[in-house]
């Protein structure tokens, strides 16, 4: 037993903390460039309407968005402080995982550097997203799971269960890596960690922590399943085709040799072999459900943590060049380094860059048309948008331009508010593409402007359409305008 559950080296506290601090400084320095991402605009509105759940997600990310803006200010930089801190902590956790695999202080430091230059960590660290906090939660779950396997101490099930419960209040995806790890344990062992009452205790803790959102979903007929089904139906084929290429690209192509070495190293360690097997099992699960490629990326960071020690024996110059190339390419494609006018260069690889640009211009275009409406008619005018990003942008920038609150039937916006039936006047519609069947819900529709962003994002070229009035009272029309995806 002692041979299979070894002790660990001393932790490289200062060097690893220094790497995490550099990540935090870089992310902070760049967090104010460009602007809010469409999801961030949605999270800020959701954070102002806190609940135990939303149709497309649990409450943790909107809650943290609200906390961050309350403390640090309602700016892109203020919004992203908590996200930045989470990413810095993730770097430390990756190094701790490397330590659990027996990596020396130098190996732990290299694991931290590899995490810091990975495109996935920098990309989710720059923005506020559910993936940001998912990544940290997955890394903590993996850390506790590896501790459990290394020591055989069943009490780590409690830490794992608590973390999983909190993660379930952020996104249900956490069931995938846990399921993959449990299946891997059944296949290759060590199975003795499953024969413990602590496992049941961990499950109970996770269930208690996750219960409020589960009850909310139950009371609202499980809307997240509807959203997930829409994602799989609309994007499943593309997700499956692009899964392998994006697995190689999104972390960083220059880190491929590291995580391959990590897989081989873990496969030769009987007590940790299940951790290696969990990654391909997770990939199969994600492919089966048509999920997005990044759903499996966190476990690649675990393999990177395992492989860092092996890299120490490679030629130093080659390792330094590889890390430098990883840092440069990851930064260019995930961080706001380029001028906004040049972002079209990176959008084919990372469309999230473009989703941070153009929202003030959209609000200005809507405001210009709003100001053309006679002042005595404006009280009956409704602004209706096709998605939560547009509605969130108009909620954020509209008040300074004299605009009323914008409405949308997309995601939880449909639940929060709808126009009153007394809103019988003109309707300003924001549509990515004009849709005759959608416009049939309104009378006398005519395009009056085109959204002109400086990058080729979804809203570039969107139509601003003015209609004379809704065709039915809003209370009758609203269910027909609801859209889950």
């Amino acid at each position: 037993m002692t041979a299979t559950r070894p002790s660990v080296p001393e932790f490289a506290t200062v060097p690893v903390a220094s790497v995490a601090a550099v990540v935090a400084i870089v992310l902070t320095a760049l967090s104010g460039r460009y602007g809010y991402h469409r999801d961030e605009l949605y999270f800020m509105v959701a954070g102002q309407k806190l609940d135990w759940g939303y149709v497309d997600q649990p409450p943790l990310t909107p809650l943290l968005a609200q906390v961050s803006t309350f403390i640090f200010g309602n700016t892109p930089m203020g919004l992203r402080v908590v996200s930045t801190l989470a990413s810095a902590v993730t770097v430390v956790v990756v190094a701790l995982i490397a330590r659990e695999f027996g990596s020396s202080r130098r190996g732990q430091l290299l694991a931290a550097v590899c995490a810091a230059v990975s495109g996935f960590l920098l990309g989710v660290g720059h923005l506020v997203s559910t993936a940001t906090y998912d990544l940290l939660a997955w890394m903590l779950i993996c850390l506790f799971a590896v501790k459990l396997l290394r020591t055989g101490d069943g009490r780590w099930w409690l830490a794992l269960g608590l973390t999983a419960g909190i993660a379930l209040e952020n996104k249900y995806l956490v069931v995938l890596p846990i399921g993959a790890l449990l299946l891997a344990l059944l296949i290759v062992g060590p199975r003795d960690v499953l024969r413990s009452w602590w496992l049941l205790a961990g499950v109970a803790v996770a269930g208690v922590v996750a219960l409020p959102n589960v009850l909310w979903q139950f009371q609202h007929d499980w809307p997240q399943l509807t959203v997930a089904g829409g994602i799989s139906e609309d994007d499943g084929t593309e997700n499956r085709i692009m899964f392998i290429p994006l697995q190689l690209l999104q972390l960083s192509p220059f880190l491929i040799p590291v995580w391959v070495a990590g897989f081989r190293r873990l496969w030769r360690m009987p007590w940790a072999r299940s951790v290696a097997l969990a990654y391909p099992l997770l990939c199969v699960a994600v492919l089966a459900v048509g999920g997005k490629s990044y759903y499996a990326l966190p476990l690649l960071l675990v393999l990177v943590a395992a492989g860092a020690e092996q890299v120490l024996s490679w030629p130093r110059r080659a390792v330094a060049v590889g890390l430098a190339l990883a840092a440069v390419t990851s930064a260019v494609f995930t961080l706001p380094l380029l001028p906004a006018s040049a972002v079209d260069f990176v959008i084919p690889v990372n469309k999230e860059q473009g989703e941070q640009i153009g929202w003030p211009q959209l609000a200005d275009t809507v405001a210009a048309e709003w100001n053309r409406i006679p002042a005595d008619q404006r009280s009956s005018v409704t602004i209706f948008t096709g998605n939560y990003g547009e509605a969130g942008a108009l909620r954020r920038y509209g008040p300074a331009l004299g605009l009323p609150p914008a409405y949308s039937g997309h995601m939880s916006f449909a639940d929060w508010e709808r126009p009153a039936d007394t809103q019988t006047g003109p309707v300003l519609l924001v549509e990515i593409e004009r849709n005759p069947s959608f416009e049939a819900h309104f009378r006398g529709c005519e395009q009056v402007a085109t959204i002109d962003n400086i990058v080729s994002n979804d809203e570039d070229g969107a139509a601003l359409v003015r209609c004379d009035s809704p065709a039915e009272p809003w209370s009758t029309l609203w269910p027909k305008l609801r859209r889950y995806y």
Side-chain angles (χ1 to χ4, degrees):
M1 186 69 69
T2 303
T4 59
R5 272 79 180 256
S7 60
V8 295
E10 179 185 2
F11 186 54
T13 305
V14 174
V16 169
S18 299
V19 175
V22 170
V23 170
I25 291 170
V26 170
L27 292 177
T28 299
L30 296 172
S31 62
R33 283 179 58 82
Y34 299 172
Y36 299 104
H37 186 278
R38 71 165 62 249
D39 291 351
E40 293 176 322
L41 293 164
Y42 178 50
F43 294 144
M44 288 194 295
V45 180
Q48 296 164 5
K49 303 177 182 297
L50 286 174
D51 203 344
W52 281 113
Y54 307 93
V55 299
D56 54 334
Q57 64 187 330
L60 184 59
T61 296
L63 171 63
L64 293 177
Q66 179 71 358
V67 169
S68 198
T69 53
F70 178 80
I71 297 175
F72 302 105
N74 192 355
T75 64
M77 180 176 287
L79 173 67
R80 294 165 178 168
V81 171
V82 176
S83 178
T84 295
L85 294 174
S87 297
V89 173
T90 299
V91 170
V92 176
V93 176
V94 171
L96 286 169
I97 294 173
R99 176 176 179 251
E100 289 299 315
F101 291 134
S103 296
S104 63
R105 287 170 56 88
R106 291 176 58 218
Q108 298 163 27
L109 174 60
L110 183 57
V113 171
C114 288
V117 302
S118 66
F120 184 56
L121 184 139
L122 292 178
V124 301
H126 168 61
L127 303 173
V128 173
S129 70
T130 53
T132 309
Y133 306 114
D134 248 8
L135 178 58
L136 175 57
W138 285 35
M139 290 300 98
L140 286 170
I141 287 170
C142 290
L143 173 63
F144 299 142
V146 174
K147 282 181 173 289
L148 169 69
L149 296 176
R150 183 183 63 80
T151 64
D153 187 344
R155 289 173 294 183
W156 285 110
W157 280 117
L158 290 178
L160 200 157
L162 176 61
T163 308
I166 296 172
L168 285 167
E169 291 289 359
N170 181 61
K171 207 166 186 176
Y172 286 176
L173 281 178
V174 71
V175 301
L176 292 178
I178 293 176
L181 182 58
L182 289 174
L183 181 58
L185 283 171
L186 289 173
I187 295 173
V188 297
R191 300 181 187 88
D192 59 317
V193 298
L194 300 174
R195 295 188 289 268
S196 169
W197 287 107
W198 289 109
L199 169 57
L200 298 179
V203 171
V205 169
V208 169
V209 176
L211 184 61
N213 177 254
V214 173
L215 289 176
W216 189 96
Q217 287 288 323
F218 172 76
Q219 292 166 354
H220 293 80
D221 297 324
W222 303 98
Q224 267 191 255
L225 296 180
T226 303
V227 175
I231 293 174
S232 179
E233 182 178 344
D234 287 7
D235 297 339
T237 300
E238 180 183 352
N239 290 340
R240 293 183 180 97
I241 293 172
M242 294 302 297
F243 182 84
I244 292 178
L246 290 178
Q247 286 291 290
L248 302 178
L249 291 173
Q250 287 179 327
L251 197 67
S252 175
F254 300 101
L255 294 179
I256 292 174
V258 184
W259 60 258
V260 169
F263 183 92
R264 296 178 62 185
R265 181 186 180 203
L266 293 184
W267 196 254
R268 293 193 296 266
M269 300 166 64
W271 68 269
R273 187 172 295 160
S274 57
V275 180
L277 182 59
Y279 172 67
L281 290 176
L282 177 59
C283 290
V284 170
V286 173
L287 282 167
V289 301
K292 298 179 180 179
S293 62
Y294 74 82
Y295 292 176
L297 284 179
L299 289 193
L300 275 185
L301 275 179
V302 177
L303 299 183
V304 165
E309 184 73 14
Q310 306 297 98
V311 175
L312 293 176
S313 62
W314 298 357
R316 290 189 178 183
R317 179 171 296 181
V319 172
V321 170
L323 291 174
L325 290 173
V328 171
T329 54
S330 294
V332 168
F333 283 97
T334 64
L335 298 179
L337 293 177
L338 299 175
S341 58
V343 169
D344 280 348
F345 170 72
V346 301
I347 285 179
V349 176
N350 180 18
K351 66 173 294 187
E352 311 308 330
Q353 292 277 60
E355 297 299 328
Q356 304 167 63
I357 298 170
W359 299 113
Q361 289 78 8
L362 182 147
D364 288 341
T365 302
V366 175
E369 184 59 29
W370 170 265
N371 290 326
R372 294 189 183 98
I373 300 172
D376 60 350
Q377 298 181 22
R378 293 177 191 166
S379 62
S380 65
V381 176
T382 302
I383 300 175
F384 186 87
T385 70
N387 62 57
Y388 62 61
E390 296 159 356
L394 293 174
R395 293 286 180 116
R396 174 62 182 86
Y397 297 109
L401 300 171
L403 296 176
Y407 300 93
S408 179
H410 190 210
M411 296 298 192
S412 284
F413 264 99
D415 298 316
W416 294 330
E417 295 168 305
R418 65 166 176 81
D421 285 344
T422 54
Q423 301 285 111
T424 57
V427 182
L428 292 179
L429 303 177
V430 181
E431 299 181 73
I432 290 180
E433 293 181 355
R434 294 197 64 179
N435 184 338
S437 61
F438 170 71
E439 292 178 12
H441 296 301
F442 308 92
R443 298 188 181 97
C445 295
E446 178 184 3
Q447 184 168 343
V448 292
T450 301
I451 309 298
D452 184 18
N453 291 340
I454 61 175
V455 296
S456 300
N457 56 18
D458 285 346
E459 270 62 38
D460 187 44
L464 179 60
V465 176
R466 177 174 173 174
C467 304
D468 294 335
S469 65
E472 302 175 87
W474 283 105
S475 57
T476 304
L477 190 58
W478 202 244
K480 303 174 185 178
L481 299 176
R482 164 145 229 158
R483 187 163 66 88
Y484 285 97
Y485 182 66

